[in-house]
Amino acid sequence: MVSSPHEAHHRIFQKNPGLFASAFHTLGIPFPEPVAVSLMDTDLTEIRPLERHVDTLLRIDLAGGDCLLLAIEAQGRKDPDKRSSWAYYLAHLYAKFRYPPVLLVVCRDKGTAEWAAEPIRIGLEKHPSLAVFPLVLGPHNVPMITDAARAADDLPMAVFSAITHSHDHDIAAILDALAEALRATDADAAAVFAEFTEAGLGATPARELWRNLMGTGLSHFRGFVAESFRDEGRVESRGEDILRILAVRGVAVPDAARQRITTCTDLAVLNEWFERAITAPTADAVFDES
């Protein structure tokens, strides 16, 4: 089970898929202009007893009909095993979808960010068979947004800035600017951003600062968001259950069926599909109401 800061650090891209483009533009990282962004299934498991999941996977549609895959990994510490996993993710994604994959690693620690940015070379030293060059967002290059007007102009980026700089000595100014921006925005949207911020700050002194700010002006958001997140968690888990039981039973799941399951947000419908998945001879039969 992932930690709350870990989950928040990549799930903000699921809630706001355009965030990566804003971040890359701010940092001057060249990236084609997207015309559409869509979430994809994060399960990279093969037909064998080995599970591999990328944190977040986005399909980026480009002008002219081209596509890219953006695999986003939230990394909280140095982990040598991750480097081989990242190489596997990219090779597997390219083999499965035939779209060029790009790896983005998001970190809250400068040392981890510097480690994650190191190229991964597999093969001969002077002639690697595979080379991976991760894009990395971390405290070393994500801007500290301490101006409320700037935060209001790009709330997802402001939240991401707060999470990324949760250990920075200027975090109080970042949180003040974000809180002021949220007070001036739509209550439902502010609720989601406020909860993401609290989850992303983790067990840090910054979270206590944020809770104090919420207590003075944002406390009415908390109940709404807590229930919203619980519902989202149940929906996501049930969709994964359906796909897993079909995989265990050896039932092939076409991309269209997988997309329908992973994008469904109606828990009652998902529960019905789960019951059918136990005996359904095909993936299409899961949706058959007759």
Side-chain angles (χ1 to χ4, degrees):
M1 182 177 180
V2 297
S3 64
S4 293
H6 174 100
E7 185 174 3
H9 215 184
H10 70 83
R11 278 195 64 191
I12 190 171
F13 289 90
Q14 298 176 14
K15 281 288 186 181
N16 304 273
L19 173 59
F20 79 91
S22 176
F24 290 171
H25 177 75
T26 300
L27 300 174
I29 298 175
F31 200 90
E33 189 68 27
V35 295
V37 181
S38 54
L39 280 169
M40 299 185 68
D41 183 19
T42 61
D43 190 347
L44 305 184
T45 305
E46 298 183 84
I47 308 301
R48 53 179 176 156
L50 177 64
E51 293 186 6
R52 296 180 186 270
H53 292 263
V54 66
D55 286 338
T56 292
L57 182 61
L58 303 177
R59 190 183 77 181
I60 315 299
D61 295 331
L62 307 174
D66 293 332
C67 292
L68 293 174
L69 298 179
L70 184 64
I72 302 172
E73 284 279 284
Q75 194 64 29
R77 59 181 175 83
K78 299 177 183 178
D79 181 358
D81 291 338
K82 270 296 184 180
R83 298 176 68 78
S84 60
S85 294
W86 291 341
Y88 171 88
Y89 293 163
L90 296 178
H92 179 82
L93 287 170
Y94 184 69
K96 182 176 182 179
F97 296 104
R98 289 294 191 267
Y99 296 144
V102 177
L103 173 64
L104 171 62
V105 184
V106 292
C107 308
R108 298 194 302 155
D109 172 74
K110 182 179 179 182
T112 301
E114 292 173 345
W115 164 82
E118 296 174 2
I120 304 167
R121 294 183 172 88
I122 300 173
L124 299 175
E125 181 178 354
K126 294 186 178 180
H127 191 89
S129 299
L130 178 65
V132 176
F133 298 89
L135 291 171
V136 179
L137 295 176
H140 65 300
N141 61 1
V142 172
M144 290 186 289
I145 300 178
T146 57
D147 178 72
R150 185 180 177 191
D153 285 340
D154 194 344
L155 282 171
M157 189 63 187
V159 173
F160 188 69
S161 175
I163 295 173
T164 304
H165 291 284
S166 58
H167 297 286
D168 196 276
H169 64 278
D170 287 330
I171 185 61
I174 297 173
L175 295 179
D176 282 341
L178 177 57
E180 184 176 341
L182 291 183
R183 291 188 186 103
T185 196
D186 174 77
D188 289 352
V192 173
F193 289 127
E195 187 73 12
F196 260 123
T197 303
E198 180 168 340
L201 293 174
T204 65
R207 183 163 65 179
E208 295 307 312
L209 291 175
W210 184 243
R211 284 175 172 172
N212 289 335
L213 287 169
M214 290 179 73
T216 59
L218 300 175
S219 58
H220 60 289
F221 297 146
R222 301 183 64 143
F224 170 87
V225 177
E227 183 61 31
S228 174
F229 268 45
R230 282 194 293 270
D231 289 344
E232 286 185 16
R234 288 194 291 266
V235 165
E236 183 177 356
S237 176
R238 185 52 84 192
E240 292 174 353
D241 290 342
I242 294 169
L243 293 173
R244 191 171 304 281
I245 198 169
L246 291 173
V248 169
R249 294 183 55 236
V251 177
V253 182
D255 288 343
R258 183 180 298 274
Q259 182 77 1
R260 185 173 176 182
I261 292 169
T262 57
T263 57
C264 179
T265 59
D266 190 322
L267 186 59
V269 171
L270 288 169
N271 284 333
E272 291 183 9
W273 290 352
F274 175 79
E275 293 178 2
R276 294 180 196 144
I278 297 173
T279 57
T282 65
D284 287 341
V286 171
F287 312 119
D288 187 3
E289 298 182 4
S290 61

